[in-house]
PDB file of all heavy atoms in Angstrom:
ATOM      1  N   PHE A   1       0.983  23.080  63.977  1.00 93.00           N
ATOM      2  CA  PHE A   1       0.272  23.476  62.759  1.00 93.00           C
ATOM      3  C   PHE A   1      -0.920  24.354  63.124  1.00 93.00           C
ATOM      4  O   PHE A   1      -1.626  24.086  64.109  1.00 93.00           O
ATOM      5  CB  PHE A   1      -0.238  22.254  62.001  1.00 93.00           C
ATOM      6  CG  PHE A   1       0.779  21.587  61.125  1.00 93.00           C
ATOM      7  CD1 PHE A   1       1.873  20.930  61.676  1.00 93.00           C
ATOM      8  CD2 PHE A   1       0.646  21.608  59.750  1.00 93.00           C
ATOM      9  CE1 PHE A   1       2.815  20.317  60.872  1.00 93.00           C
ATOM     10  CE2 PHE A   1       1.583  20.987  58.927  1.00 93.00           C
ATOM     11  CZ  PHE A   1       2.670  20.332  59.490  1.00 93.00           C
ATOM     12  N   SER A   2      -1.140  25.386  62.328  1.00 93.00           N
ATOM     13  CA  SER A   2      -2.407  26.106  62.442  1.00 93.00           C
ATOM     14  C   SER A   2      -3.508  25.233  61.854  1.00 93.00           C
ATOM     15  O   SER A   2      -3.229  24.232  61.188  1.00 93.00           O
ATOM     16  CB  SER A   2      -2.321  27.433  61.682  1.00 93.00           C
ATOM     17  OG  SER A   2      -2.225  27.189  60.275  1.00 93.00           O
ATOM     18  N   GLU A   3      -4.758  25.615  62.077  1.00 93.00           N
ATOM     19  CA  GLU A   3      -5.862  24.839  61.516  1.00 93.00           C
ATOM     20  C   GLU A   3      -5.800  24.826  59.991  1.00 93.00           C
ATOM     21  O   GLU A   3      -6.015  23.788  59.351  1.00 93.00           O
ATOM     22  CB  GLU A   3      -7.197  25.394  62.004  1.00 93.00           C
ATOM     23  CG  GLU A   3      -7.434  25.171  63.489  1.00 93.00           C
ATOM     24  CD  GLU A   3      -8.785  25.688  63.945  1.00 93.00           C
ATOM     25  OE1 GLU A   3      -9.501  26.299  63.113  1.00 93.00           O
ATOM     26  OE2 GLU A   3      -9.124  25.473  65.123  1.00 93.00           O
ATOM     27  N   ASP A   4      -5.512  25.982  59.389  1.00 93.00           N
ATOM     28  CA  ASP A   4      -5.412  26.045  57.929  1.00 93.00           C
ATOM     29  C   ASP A   4      -4.268  25.184  57.417  1.00 93.00           C
ATOM     30  O   ASP A   4      -4.400  24.499  56.389  1.00 93.00           O
ATOM     31  CB  ASP A   4      -5.216  27.487  57.468  1.00 93.00           C
ATOM     32  CG  ASP A   4      -6.487  28.316  57.553  1.00 93.00           C
ATOM     33  OD1 ASP A   4      -7.577  27.723  57.447  1.00 93.00           O
ATOM     34  OD2 ASP A   4      -6.392  29.534  57.735  1.00 93.00           O
ATOM     35  N   ALA A   5      -3.135  25.206  58.111  1.00 93.00           N
ATOM     36  CA  ALA A   5      -1.980  24.425  57.676  1.00 93.00           C
ATOM     37  C   ALA A   5      -2.249  22.932  57.829  1.00 93.00           C
ATOM     38  O   ALA A   5      -1.816  22.123  57.003  1.00 93.00           O
ATOM     39  CB  ALA A   5      -0.737  24.820  58.474  1.00 93.00           C
ATOM     40  N   ALA A   6      -2.975  22.550  58.879  1.00 94.00           N
ATOM     41  CA  ALA A   6      -3.298  21.134  59.084  1.00 94.00           C
ATOM     42  C   ALA A   6      -4.224  20.623  57.981  1.00 94.00           C
ATOM     43  O   ALA A   6      -4.036  19.517  57.465  1.00 94.00           O
ATOM     44  CB  ALA A   6      -3.944  20.930  60.454  1.00 94.00           C
ATOM     45  N   VAL A   7      -5.212  21.429  57.607  1.00 92.00           N
ATOM     46  CA  VAL A   7      -6.121  21.034  56.529  1.00 92.00           C
ATOM     47  C   VAL A   7      -5.365  20.958  55.205  1.00 92.00           C
ATOM     48  O   VAL A   7      -5.556  20.017  54.417  1.00 92.00           O
ATOM     49  CB  VAL A   7      -7.299  22.026  56.433  1.00 92.00           C
ATOM     50  CG1 VAL A   7      -8.113  21.784  55.161  1.00 92.00           C
ATOM     51  CG2 VAL A   7      -8.190  21.897  57.666  1.00 92.00           C
ATOM     52  N   TYR A   8      -4.499  21.936  54.963  1.00 93.00           N
ATOM     53  CA  TYR A   8      -3.683  21.913  53.744  1.00 93.00           C
ATOM     54  C   TYR A   8      -2.830  20.649  53.711  1.00 93.00           C
ATOM     55  O   TYR A   8      -2.712  19.987  52.670  1.00 93.00           O
ATOM     56  CB  TYR A   8      -2.797  23.157  53.699  1.00 93.00           C
ATOM     57  CG  TYR A   8      -1.818  23.173  52.553  1.00 93.00           C
ATOM     58  CD1 TYR A   8      -2.194  23.649  51.302  1.00 93.00           C
ATOM     59  CD2 TYR A   8      -0.516  22.714  52.726  1.00 93.00           C
ATOM     60  CE1 TYR A   8      -1.296  23.660  50.239  1.00 93.00           C
ATOM     61  CE2 TYR A   8       0.382  22.720  51.671  1.00 93.00           C
ATOM     62  CZ  TYR A   8      -0.001  23.195  50.431  1.00 93.00           C
ATOM     63  OH  TYR A   8       0.891  23.189  49.397  1.00 93.00           O
ATOM     64  N   ALA A   9      -2.224  20.309  54.851  1.00 93.00           N
ATOM     65  CA  ALA A   9      -1.372  19.118  54.925  1.00 93.00           C
ATOM     66  C   ALA A   9      -2.179  17.856  54.653  1.00 93.00           C
ATOM     67  O   ALA A   9      -1.723  16.961  53.929  1.00 93.00           O
ATOM     68  CB  ALA A   9      -0.704  19.027  56.291  1.00 93.00           C
ATOM     69  N   TYR A  10      -3.380  17.769  55.208  1.00 91.00           N
ATOM     70  CA  TYR A  10      -4.202  16.577  54.967  1.00 91.00           C
ATOM     71  C   TYR A  10      -4.547  16.445  53.489  1.00 91.00           C
ATOM     72  O   TYR A  10      -4.465  15.354  52.914  1.00 91.00           O
ATOM     73  CB  TYR A  10      -5.483  16.611  55.801  1.00 91.00           C
ATOM     74  CG  TYR A  10      -6.367  15.432  55.464  1.00 91.00           C
ATOM     75  CD1 TYR A  10      -6.042  14.167  55.934  1.00 91.00           C
ATOM     76  CD2 TYR A  10      -7.455  15.561  54.610  1.00 91.00           C
ATOM     77  CE1 TYR A  10      -6.804  13.055  55.582  1.00 91.00           C
ATOM     78  CE2 TYR A  10      -8.216  14.463  54.254  1.00 91.00           C
ATOM     79  CZ  TYR A  10      -7.889  13.217  54.748  1.00 91.00           C
ATOM     80  OH  TYR A  10      -8.627  12.126  54.373  1.00 91.00           O
ATOM     81  N   ARG A  11      -4.928  17.544  52.861  1.00 90.00           N
ATOM     82  CA  ARG A  11      -5.296  17.486  51.444  1.00 90.00           C
ATOM     83  C   ARG A  11      -4.095  17.104  50.577  1.00 90.00           C
ATOM     84  O   ARG A  11      -4.202  16.268  49.671  1.00 90.00           O
ATOM     85  CB  ARG A  11      -5.861  18.831  51.007  1.00 90.00           C
ATOM     86  CG  ARG A  11      -7.249  19.117  51.582  1.00 90.00           C
ATOM     87  CD  ARG A  11      -7.732  20.491  51.202  1.00 90.00           C
ATOM     88  NE  ARG A  11      -9.111  20.711  51.632  1.00 90.00           N
ATOM     89  CZ  ARG A  11      -9.720  21.886  51.598  1.00 90.00           C
ATOM     90  NH1 ARG A  11      -9.077  22.951  51.156  1.00 90.00           N
ATOM     91  NH2 ARG A  11     -10.966  22.001  52.001  1.00 90.00           N
ATOM     92  N   ALA A  12      -2.948  17.727  50.842  1.00 92.00           N
ATOM     93  CA  ALA A  12      -1.756  17.431  50.043  1.00 92.00           C
ATOM     94  C   ALA A  12      -1.300  15.991  50.273  1.00 92.00           C
ATOM     95  O   ALA A  12      -0.907  15.288  49.336  1.00 92.00           O
ATOM     96  CB  ALA A  12      -0.640  18.410  50.389  1.00 92.00           C
ATOM     97  N   PHE A  13      -1.350  15.554  51.518  1.00 92.00           N
ATOM     98  CA  PHE A  13      -0.945  14.196  51.872  1.00 92.00           C
ATOM     99  C   PHE A  13      -1.874  13.182  51.206  1.00 92.00           C
ATOM    100  O   PHE A  13      -1.417  12.173  50.656  1.00 92.00           O
ATOM    101  CB  PHE A  13      -0.994  14.064  53.392  1.00 92.00           C
ATOM    102  CG  PHE A  13      -0.426  12.789  53.940  1.00 92.00           C
ATOM    103  CD1 PHE A  13       0.947  12.564  53.955  1.00 92.00           C
ATOM    104  CD2 PHE A  13      -1.252  11.826  54.481  1.00 92.00           C
ATOM    105  CE1 PHE A  13       1.472  11.387  54.481  1.00 92.00           C
ATOM    106  CE2 PHE A  13      -0.742  10.649  55.010  1.00 92.00           C
ATOM    107  CZ  PHE A  13       0.627  10.442  55.012  1.00 92.00           C
ATOM    108  N   GLY A  14      -3.171  13.470  51.244  1.00 88.00           N
ATOM    109  CA  GLY A  14      -4.133  12.575  50.622  1.00 88.00           C
ATOM    110  C   GLY A  14      -3.944  12.478  49.120  1.00 88.00           C
ATOM    111  O   GLY A  14      -3.982  11.385  48.542  1.00 88.00           O
ATOM    112  N   SER A  15      -3.728  13.623  48.471  1.00 89.00           N
ATOM    113  CA  SER A  15      -3.521  13.615  47.020  1.00 89.00           C
ATOM    114  C   SER A  15      -2.273  12.818  46.657  1.00 89.00           C
ATOM    115  O   SER A  15      -2.262  12.066  45.677  1.00 89.00           O
ATOM    116  CB  SER A  15      -3.391  15.053  46.503  1.00 89.00           C
ATOM    117  OG  SER A  15      -4.594  15.760  46.690  1.00 89.00           O
ATOM    118  N   PHE A  16      -1.224  12.985  47.451  1.00 91.00           N
ATOM    119  CA  PHE A  16       0.018  12.253  47.212  1.00 91.00           C
ATOM    120  C   PHE A  16      -0.216  10.745  47.314  1.00 91.00           C
ATOM    121  O   PHE A  16       0.186   9.972  46.434  1.00 91.00           O
ATOM    122  CB  PHE A  16       1.077  12.703  48.222  1.00 91.00           C
ATOM    123  CG  PHE A  16       2.221  11.736  48.382  1.00 91.00           C
ATOM    124  CD1 PHE A  16       3.206  11.625  47.401  1.00 91.00           C
ATOM    125  CD2 PHE A  16       2.310  10.933  49.511  1.00 91.00           C
ATOM    126  CE1 PHE A  16       4.256  10.732  47.543  1.00 91.00           C
ATOM    127  CE2 PHE A  16       3.354  10.039  49.658  1.00 91.00           C
ATOM    128  CZ  PHE A  16       4.331   9.932  48.676  1.00 91.00           C
ATOM    129  N   LEU A  17      -0.875  10.303  48.378  1.00 90.00           N
ATOM    130  CA  LEU A  17      -1.078   8.877  48.575  1.00 90.00           C
ATOM    131  C   LEU A  17      -1.989   8.273  47.513  1.00 90.00           C
ATOM    132  O   LEU A  17      -1.703   7.194  46.979  1.00 90.00           O
ATOM    133  CB  LEU A  17      -1.660   8.613  49.968  1.00 90.00           C
ATOM    134  CG  LEU A  17      -0.699   8.785  51.141  1.00 90.00           C
ATOM    135  CD1 LEU A  17      -1.424   8.552  52.457  1.00 90.00           C
ATOM    136  CD2 LEU A  17       0.490   7.847  51.033  1.00 90.00           C
ATOM    137  N   VAL A  18      -3.074   8.966  47.211  1.00 87.00           N
ATOM    138  CA  VAL A  18      -3.993   8.441  46.196  1.00 87.00           C
ATOM    139  C   VAL A  18      -3.283   8.312  44.855  1.00 87.00           C
ATOM    140  O   VAL A  18      -3.367   7.276  44.177  1.00 87.00           O
ATOM    141  CB  VAL A  18      -5.238   9.345  46.070  1.00 87.00           C
ATOM    142  CG1 VAL A  18      -6.042   8.975  44.830  1.00 87.00           C
ATOM    143  CG2 VAL A  18      -6.119   9.215  47.305  1.00 87.00           C
ATOM    144  N   GLY A  19      -2.562   9.361  44.471  1.00 88.00           N
ATOM    145  CA  GLY A  19      -1.893   9.333  43.176  1.00 88.00           C
ATOM    146  C   GLY A  19      -0.880   8.220  43.058  1.00 88.00           C
ATOM    147  O   GLY A  19      -0.880   7.451  42.081  1.00 88.00           O
ATOM    148  N   HIS A  20      -0.024   8.080  44.068  1.00 89.00           N
ATOM    149  CA  HIS A  20       1.022   7.067  44.001  1.00 89.00           C
ATOM    150  C   HIS A  20       0.471   5.657  44.160  1.00 89.00           C
ATOM    151  O   HIS A  20       0.840   4.743  43.416  1.00 89.00           O
ATOM    152  CB  HIS A  20       2.080   7.334  45.080  1.00 89.00           C
ATOM    153  CG  HIS A  20       3.205   8.185  44.601  1.00 89.00           C
ATOM    154  ND1 HIS A  20       4.337   7.677  44.019  1.00 89.00           N
ATOM    155  CD2 HIS A  20       3.359   9.519  44.596  1.00 89.00           C
ATOM    156  CE1 HIS A  20       5.152   8.666  43.688  1.00 89.00           C
ATOM    157  NE2 HIS A  20       4.579   9.798  44.031  1.00 89.00           N
ATOM    158  N   LEU A  21      -0.395   5.468  45.145  1.00 89.00           N
ATOM    159  CA  LEU A  21      -0.779   4.105  45.488  1.00 89.00           C
ATOM    160  C   LEU A  21      -1.803   3.520  44.528  1.00 89.00           C
ATOM    161  O   LEU A  21      -1.781   2.315  44.270  1.00 89.00           O
ATOM    162  CB  LEU A  21      -1.275   4.059  46.934  1.00 89.00           C
ATOM    163  CG  LEU A  21      -0.201   4.437  47.962  1.00 89.00           C
ATOM    164  CD1 LEU A  21      -0.751   4.331  49.380  1.00 89.00           C
ATOM    165  CD2 LEU A  21       1.052   3.580  47.811  1.00 89.00           C
ATOM    166  N   LEU A  22      -2.703   4.330  44.005  1.00 88.00           N
ATOM    167  CA  LEU A  22      -3.609   3.786  42.991  1.00 88.00           C
ATOM    168  C   LEU A  22      -2.834   3.345  41.759  1.00 88.00           C
ATOM    169  O   LEU A  22      -3.176   2.337  41.128  1.00 88.00           O
ATOM    170  CB  LEU A  22      -4.675   4.814  42.606  1.00 88.00           C
ATOM    171  CG  LEU A  22      -5.799   5.028  43.615  1.00 88.00           C
ATOM    172  CD1 LEU A  22      -6.783   6.071  43.098  1.00 88.00           C
ATOM    173  CD2 LEU A  22      -6.530   3.731  43.929  1.00 88.00           C
ATOM    174  N   LEU A  23      -1.785   4.083  41.423  1.00 85.00           N
ATOM    175  CA  LEU A  23      -0.929   3.658  40.316  1.00 85.00           C
ATOM    176  C   LEU A  23      -0.232   2.357  40.663  1.00 85.00           C
ATOM    177  O   LEU A  23      -0.167   1.423  39.857  1.00 85.00           O
ATOM    178  CB  LEU A  23       0.106   4.742  40.013  1.00 85.00           C
ATOM    179  CG  LEU A  23       1.212   4.371  39.025  1.00 85.00           C
ATOM    180  CD1 LEU A  23       0.620   4.093  37.644  1.00 85.00           C
ATOM    181  CD2 LEU A  23       2.250   5.485  38.945  1.00 85.00           C
ATOM    182  N   GLU A  24       0.273   2.263  41.876  1.00 86.00           N
ATOM    183  CA  GLU A  24       1.073   1.103  42.257  1.00 86.00           C
ATOM    184  C   GLU A  24       0.245  -0.172  42.363  1.00 86.00           C
ATOM    185  O   GLU A  24       0.733  -1.268  42.076  1.00 86.00           O
ATOM    186  CB  GLU A  24       1.799   1.382  43.576  1.00 86.00           C
ATOM    187  CG  GLU A  24       2.925   0.434  43.861  1.00 86.00           C
ATOM    188  CD  GLU A  24       3.911   0.957  44.892  1.00 86.00           C
ATOM    189  OE1 GLU A  24       3.699   2.062  45.426  1.00 86.00           O
ATOM    190  OE2 GLU A  24       4.888   0.242  45.169  1.00 86.00           O
ATOM    191  N   VAL A  25      -0.993  -0.047  42.794  1.00 86.00           N
ATOM    192  CA  VAL A  25      -1.803  -1.256  42.978  1.00 86.00           C
ATOM    193  C   VAL A  25      -2.671  -1.566  41.763  1.00 86.00           C
ATOM    194  O   VAL A  25      -3.413  -2.549  41.773  1.00 86.00           O
ATOM    195  CB  VAL A  25      -2.718  -1.148  44.221  1.00 86.00           C
ATOM    196  CG1 VAL A  25      -1.911  -0.839  45.462  1.00 86.00           C
ATOM    197  CG2 VAL A  25      -3.813  -0.092  44.027  1.00 86.00           C
TER     198      VAL A  25
END
């Protein structure tokens, strides 16, 4: 991953987890 791609991945991954898991719990 480039630095930009790694940051993009972290943000997208974080948004995915927060959205799904806050709903689930």
